[in-house]
Amino acid sequence: MNAPAASIGHESHGHHGPVLQYQPGLPLSRGKLIMWLFLSTEIMFFAALLGSYVVLRFGAAVWPKPHHVHLSEPIGAFNTFVLICSSVTVVLALEAARANKRSLAKSWMLLTLILGSLFLGVKAYEYSSKFDHGIYPWAPRGRIYERPDLYYGSAVRARLSDPAILAKIKELDGRPENELSDAELTGRRRLKQVKDMVNNPDQQAFDLAVVADQIMPLPGEGSDSHDHGGGLNDTFAWLQLPAVIPGGNMWASTYFFLTGFHAVHVIVGLIVFSILLLYELGPAAAGMIENAGLYWHFVDLVWIFLFPLLYLF
Amino acid sequence: MSNSEPHKSSNVTHGPITSPGKLPEEIESVVEDEQSHEGHGGMMQYMAVFVALCFLTTMSFLTYSSYWPWRDEPQVGWAFMMAVSCTKALLVVLFFMHVLWEANWKYVLTIPAAMMAIFLAIMLIPDIGLRNRMVSQERALHMARGSDVLLLEKAASAASSGEVEKHEHE
């Protein structure tokens, strides 16, 4: 134990009685100590989230591949790069503030804020592309089925007999062929096929797999999900038919939970940075910048683990 | 030692304390520590760490590219990516969070938290990690299995070969 407080207590036990004077228990400022204590709780918080993700993922019978759930690895890598850059800029802001280069510190801080917002923007774009494919973390909006079984078939049937959808299909069928694009023509033919298969009383298990594939194919390894021709859901955005992604529901829950909590942390960091921008960023503010920076590096740290776990595993 | 004690005793002791404790030295060393912050770090070092981080990100991205030789053994890629991630995390913690230059208190805060974190994950294995070893019949009926993926892939290949035929007809 080399805490100064303890050593003082010992040596002064002898003749003079206790000699007490205030001194920090640890050689660091209170703000930084509190920030580190907070960060150690954050370590456990995110470790619990990441740990349960890993355990859920490897305990699952089937887990979707990243391209099955329309994750784009290059976008994820880009976001990693953005966060790393913002970590560097916040460190440079701290160094500039210590050297009393106030305007330089402010511009580094502003750049950090911009990079953080860019990260959030990319994240929002990714979320919206999940929502477009019916991947939601909860049931009423989520259209993901685990397997192409009878329940899936009846859900497709129910959607296709929705009056609004029926009207749209009727309108589509009424349009002359030369008005439709190639994709729409194939889509129309496929839609008819799907309707027949779903309503067929002698339907086989394989038929429902074909239906699922026509509605939203699981993109193959390496092939781009978008030039795959897409499924019916891509061709006709209004259709919004239920889709099959084996393991997709658990995947959606963990994905949105992990990235959602991370995004909340990013938002908090951005609020802190915007408050800091109101101050003069000289040596007096260095402590504040350092603490905000510690928090921000931690957010970066979490993403460093989230990126490979979610996008590349 | 409570915070109120020092105030009381400051009436009793007079003058600066030099001999009984090592206090003055201690405080000086703290001040030095604060000043030496400018010694470490520095633009060049931060840039070197930044370049290393970018390089490592590209490395983990490599497992996704077609140059990765172990496509059939995902475990190799997982181990590789975790190693890369840990290295990146270490770089960020040591240099950007200045932990490399901190005193020994860093171990007090980080090691117990890290142990708790690992323990937490291990505790989840029996109930959650092994949850599919024994499942109710109803759950078995509804949960996705490897065979479902195979079925969907078969349907996809059947459909794509069918598509090709139809295109030729047109």
Side-chain angles (χ1 to χ4, degrees), chain A residues 4-59:
Chain A
S7 66
I8 283 230
H10 262 285
E11 287 178 28
S12 57
H13 249 296
H15 331 278
H16 313 279
V19 177
L20 300 166
Q21 179 163 332
Y22 170 73
Q23 57 169 322
L26 291 170
L28 72 169
S29 71
R30 274 191 198 160
K32 200 165 150 189
L33 173 65
I34 299 303
M35 180 48 82
W36 269 104
L37 280 175
F38 171 66
L39 287 186
S40 66
T41 67
E42 289 276 79
I43 292 175
M44 288 184 267
F45 176 76
F46 274 105
L49 287 185
L50 285 171
S52 24
Y53 167 76
V54 168
V55 170
L56 280 170
R57 185 214 186 289
F58 287 100

Side-chain angles (χ1 to χ4, degrees), chain A residues 11 20-21 32 59 62 147, chain B residues 9 17 20 102 132 141 145:
Chain A
E11 287 178 28
L20 300 166
Q21 179 163 332
K32 200 165 150 189
V62 185
R147 26 187 343 211
Chain B
S9 62
I17 314 146
E102 299 289 5
N132 286 333
L141 194 66
R145 264 166 276 163

Side-chain angles (χ1 to χ4, degrees), chain A residues 2 4-9 11-12 16 18-24 26-30 32-33 36-37 39-41 43-45 47-48 51-53 55-63 65 68 73-74 77 80-81 84-85 87-88 91-92 94-95 98-99 108 146-149 151 186 189-190 193 205-206 208-210 212-214 217-218 221 228 244-247 250 290 293-295 297-298 300-301 304-305 307-309 311-313, chain B residues 1 3 5-7 9-10 13 15-17 19-23 26-27 29-30 33-34 37-38 40-43 46-47 49-50 53-54 57 60-61 63-64 71 77-79 81-82 84-86 88-90 92-93 95-99 102-106 108-110 112-114 116-118 120-122 124-125 128-132 140-149 151-160 163 166-167 170:
Chain A
N2 60 356
S7 66
I8 283 230
E11 287 178 28
S12 57
H16 313 279
V19 177
L20 300 166
Q21 179 163 332
Y22 170 73
Q23 57 169 322
L26 291 170
L28 72 169
S29 71
R30 274 191 198 160
K32 200 165 150 189
L33 173 65
W36 269 104
L37 280 175
L39 287 186
S40 66
T41 67
I43 292 175
M44 288 184 267
F45 176 76
S52 24
Y53 167 76
V55 170
L56 280 170
R57 185 214 186 289
F58 287 100
V62 185
W63 197 259
K65 297 205 165 61
H68 287 172
E73 285 89 348
T80 313
F81 176 69
I84 288 175
C85 287
S87 255
V88 175
V91 160
L92 294 178
L94 175 62
E95 293 296 312
R98 279 196 176 133
W108 282 127
E146 291 288 308
R147 26 187 343 211
D149 57 5
Y151 300 94
T186 353
R189 204 184 56 239
R190 281 178 176 183
Q193 185 191 348
F206 187 67
L208 285 171
V210 171
D213 180 65
Q214 297 287 355
L218 293 183
E221 189 104 31
H228 195 265
V244 175
I245 303 177
M250 185 60 94
E290 189 180 9
L294 282 175
Y295 174 79
H297 297 313
F298 179 79
D300 183 19
L301 209 65
I304 283 176
F305 284 103
F307 167 62
L309 281 175
Y311 289 77
L312 300 170
F313 259 50
Chain B
M1 238 180 251
N3 260 353
E5 275 177 331
H7 292 292
S9 62
S10 64
T13 22
I17 314 146
S19 51
K22 281 184 272 174
L23 190 60
E26 219 75 57
I27 282 179
S29 77
V30 172
D33 224 34
E34 215 64 55
H37 267 301
E38 292 177 17
H40 69 240
M43 198 73 172
Y46 289 138
M47 281 304 128
V49 173
F50 173 67
L53 284 174
C54 290
T57 306
S60 61
F61 193 64
T63 58
Y64 165 75
R71 301 223 77 151
W78 296 340
M81 275 185 288
M82 276 300 101
V84 167
S85 286
C86 289
K88 278 164 76 180
L90 214 61
V92 169
V93 169
F95 292 97
F96 289 170
M97 294 172 95
H98 301 293
V99 165
E102 299 289 5
N104 283 343
W105 59 263
K106 61 191 172 192
V108 181
L109 285 181
T110 48
M116 285 291 286
I118 293 167
L120 247 165
I122 292 173
L124 290 168
I125 292 174
I128 297 176
L130 305 180
R131 69 191 183 283
N132 286 333
L141 194 66
H142 294 295
M143 75 183 206
R145 264 166 276 163
S147 57
D148 293 318
V149 182
L151 195 66
L152 286 169
E153 277 169 3
K154 216 170 120 191
S157 65
S160 62
E163 278 299 307
K166 271 169 199 162
H167 271 292
E170 278 163 10

Side-chain angles (χ1 to χ4, degrees), chain A residues 159 164-165 168-169 172 191 233 235-241:
Chain A
R159 177 71 187 161
I165 295 299
K168 286 250 189 191
I169 293 177
L172 179 73
L191 186 57
N233 274 351
T235 319
F236 308 112
W238 44 267
L239 210 48
Q240 300 193 335
L241 287 167

